[in-house]
Amino acid sequence: MAAPSQIDLAGTTANTWGYGTVPGSTIRLGAGDTLRATLKNRLPSDTSVHWHGLALRNDMDGVPGTTQDPIASGSDFVYDFVVGQPGTYWFHPHVGSQLDRGLYGAVIVEDPHESLSYDDEWVVMLDDWLDGVTGTPDEVLKELSGGMGGMMDGSSSHMMMGARSDLLGGDAGDVAYPYFLINGRPSADPETFPSTPGKRIRLRIINASSDTAFRVALGGHRLTVTHSDGYPVNPVDTDAILIGMGERYDALVTLGDGAFPLIASAEGKSANALAIVRTGVGAKPVSAASIPELTRTVLTAAMLSSPSDVSLAKRSVDREITAALTGSMMAYDWGINGHRFDPNNPMAGALGVLQGERVRLRIENTTTMWHPFHLHGHTYQHVGGGPRKDTSIVLPGKSLTVEFDADNPGLWAAHCHNIYHAESGMMTILGYLAS
Ligand SMILES: [Cu+2]
C-alpha cells in the first residue's frame, strides 16, 4: 500500500509518503517466479510502480501515459509478471517527484544456481532525504523549474550551489538535503548489521536517491565487486564504489573482528550516511567521520568487464542511434536530443528501433553536468566487453556507447535518473512493436 506515513529521523518525525516502512519491505523471489503485487493507492495523488532494472512485460513497467493508466487515488492495481533474471533490483513510482519521498524498496531475485558462496547478505539502500523536513519534492521541483532566477533573487531554499566532484566531472548535484540515509536511518541513529568475524557477506547496494551519487566503503575492509545492476561482472577488488542514482552494485566482504562504519559519502555534498557492521562484543563505537578507504581506489563502471557468458552474443550492429543529453541548470530545460519529454505526447522525439535488431546506443552528454542514464526493459552492455547495466553514469562532455538486443517489444522509457532532471524533460521513449 502506498499511503501518507511518517519517518523517524533520529528523534525528528517527518511526514512523508511510503509503502508502510521506509524503505518498503524487500520483495524476495527466485528467478522464474511470478511477482504478483497489488498496489493500493491511498495517496492523495495518482501513482504507479516501476520495477527498476527488470526486463518485464511492457504493460507491467509502471510508466503512466505510456505503459498503463495512472493508478488513481483510492484505487488498486495488480502487478503480475514473471521475473527472469536473478539480481539486485528495486521498485519506486514513476509519477512526478514521488521517488524523492519514502516510496522505494528492494527487489532481490535469487539465483537457483547461485555460484557465489557467502554466509549472509545485507541489502543497503541509500537515499537523500528532505521530505517533511525542509519541504516536499514538489516544492523542490517547482523551485528548480524556475531555473537560476529563483537563486538570483535570494528566494532559493532547496537549490545547492557548489557541489563539486572530480569523479563526476564537476557539478555533483542540484539539491541540498538535510539527511542522507542508509536503510531509512540517518547517521545519528544508524542501523547495525550484527555478524561474526570471518563471515563472508554479500552486500547489495542500491542508490534510491534522487539527486545524490554516493561513494561507499566499509572501514577496515576491501570489497570485491561481483555484480553491477543485477548482472555478474569479472570480480574486482576495490576500497570504495561510486554509485549513481538507480545503480546497484553487489560486493563480497570477509568481516574482521570489531565494529566498522559502512559509509556512503554524498559525492560533492560534504556529508555522510552511516550504518554499522558489528562482529565484536567489546568493539568501540564508530562514527560517520570519513574513513581512508573513501579516498583510495574508487571503483566506477568503467573498471568492470563482463564474463563471456554474461556478454551479449557476438553479432553485427543493425542500428546506431544517439541520445544526446541536452539542457542546462540555468534554464532547467533538461531534454534528450533537444526535446523536453511531453507526457501528453510521449512519442514526440521517440527513438525508433525494430524488434530483433542489435542496437548500438550512443549516449552523448552535451551538458555541463553528469547524468545517470536509465533504459527500461533491457540490460545493455557497455561496448568493449564492459558490464551489463541498465543505469550508467555519463560524465559532462563525454559519451558512453552501449549495445542491446531489441528483444522485449513495447514502449520503454529512457531517461536521466536524477528525478528532477527527468521530470523537467530529460526523458524519451524507445519503442518497437512485436513483429
Ligand atoms: Cu540528469
Side-chain angles (χ1 to χ4, degrees):
M1 182 164 79
S5 63
Q6 294 188 319
I7 183 171
D8 174 11
L9 299 162
T12 300
T13 301
N15 291 316
T16 187
W17 296 353
Y19 298 121
T21 54
V22 181
S25 302
T26 296
I27 296 174
R28 193 173 283 274
L29 67 173
D33 289 353
T34 295
L35 193 162
R36 189 168 197 281
T38 302
L39 190 278
K40 296 174 185 292
N41 182 8
R42 304 299 176 259
L43 301 171
S45 164
D46 291 349
T47 194
S48 74
V49 178
H50 170 58
W51 309 91
H52 185 121
L54 294 174
L56 40 54
R57 225 174 59 217
N58 188 246
D59 62 349
M60 295 284 110
D61 194 47
V63 181
T66 302
T67 70
Q68 68 169 99
D69 291 330
I71 306 170
S73 179
S75 69
D76 300 350
F77 185 88
V78 179
Y79 289 95
D80 190 341
F81 55 90
V82 174
V83 174
Q85 173 69 27
T88 302
Y89 302 94
W90 63 299
F91 60 99
H92 60 78
H94 221 279
V95 172
S97 54
Q98 290 180 7
L99 168 60
D100 208 9
R101 299 186 187 254
L103 295 162
Y104 60 86
V107 179
I108 306 302
V109 184
E110 307 264 15
D111 188 345
H113 310 291
E114 181 61 64
S115 59
L116 289 185
S117 80
Y118 49 93
D119 301 305
D120 204 353
E121 67 168 66
W122 186 19
V123 176
V124 174
M125 291 200 88
L126 313 175
D127 194 15
D128 46 14
W129 192 276
L130 60 80
D131 192 29
V133 181
T134 56
T136 67
D138 290 339
E139 291 165 6
V140 174
L141 181 59
K142 186 162 178 280
E143 182 191 326
L144 290 172
S145 300
M148 301 279 275
M151 187 71 194
M152 306 298 181
D153 71 12
S155 62
S156 168
S157 59
H158 301 295
M159 215 181 276
M160 181 163 200
M161 303 305 294
R164 306 290 300 175
S165 161
D166 289 344
L167 271 180
L168 295 174
D171 187 356
D174 304 337
V175 182
Y177 288 89
Y179 293 99
F180 296 96
L181 312 181
I182 294 180
N183 292 339
R185 313 262 297 257
S187 52
D189 178 30
E191 177 175 273
T192 295
F193 182 83
S195 192
T196 50
K199 280 225 162 137
R200 201 174 202 213
I201 307 301
R202 179 181 190 164
L203 302 175
R204 295 180 183 265
I205 306 167
I206 303 168
N207 186 350
S209 62
S210 290
D211 181 68
T212 306
F214 288 95
R215 203 185 285 211
V216 182
L218 178 62
H221 294 78
R222 278 170 66 81
L223 307 172
T224 303
V225 173
T226 62
H227 294 72
S228 74
D229 294 357
Y231 279 66
V233 295
N234 291 314
V236 174
D237 290 343
T238 186
D239 297 295
I241 301 169
L242 178 72
I243 180 166
M245 295 83 84
E247 289 189 286
R248 292 89 62 213
Y249 285 104
D250 292 17
L252 291 176
V253 59
T254 302
L255 297 178
D257 189 355
F260 307 97
L262 179 81
I263 291 190
S265 179
E267 189 65 23
K269 295 187 175 182
S270 304
N272 291 342
L274 172 71
I276 296 168
V277 174
R278 181 175 292 273
T279 64
V281 183
K284 286 198 210 114
V286 299
S287 76
S290 196
I291 50 175
E293 285 79 7
L294 290 168
T295 50
R296 291 180 185 155
T297 304
V298 183
L299 179 131
T300 64
M303 296 155 79
L304 295 172
S305 62
S306 287
S308 55
D309 60 339
V310 174
S311 285
L312 293 178
K314 279 208 175 11
R315 60 174 277 195
S316 57
V317 171
D318 302 302
R319 181 182 299 264
E320 299 194 33
I321 54 178
T322 296
L325 310 178
T326 53
S328 75
M329 176 76 187
M330 182 63 78
Y332 227 75
D333 57 346
W334 305 113
I336 292 182
N337 292 337
H339 287 272
R340 296 179 79 154
F341 183 72
D342 177 1
N344 298 315
N345 187 12
M347 295 309 287
L351 306 172
V353 164
L354 295 177
Q355 187 182 21
E357 290 179 332
R358 167 67 56 87
V359 181
R360 179 173 289 168
L361 170 63
R362 186 178 139 87
I363 309 153
E364 190 182 325
N365 186 349
T366 71
T367 79
T368 59
M369 186 175 180
W370 76 285
H371 303 280
F373 182 87
H374 173 47
L375 174 63
H376 289 209
H378 303 76
T379 301
Y380 50 70
Q381 182 172 13
H382 289 201
V383 294
R388 296 287 298 270
K389 287 183 73 59
D390 54 66
T391 312
S392 300
I393 291 172
V394 190
L395 298 179
K398 305 279 195 225
S399 63
L400 173 71
T401 304
V402 303
E403 291 183 4
F404 64 92
D405 287 328
D407 55 5
N408 191 13
L411 299 178
W412 301 104
H415 62 93
C416 176
H417 221 280
N418 180 312
I419 194 62
Y420 298 104
H421 294 186
E423 274 307 296
S424 302
M426 195 176 271
M427 175 147 83
T428 191
I429 300 292
L430 184 144
Y432 53 99
L433 300 175
S435 53

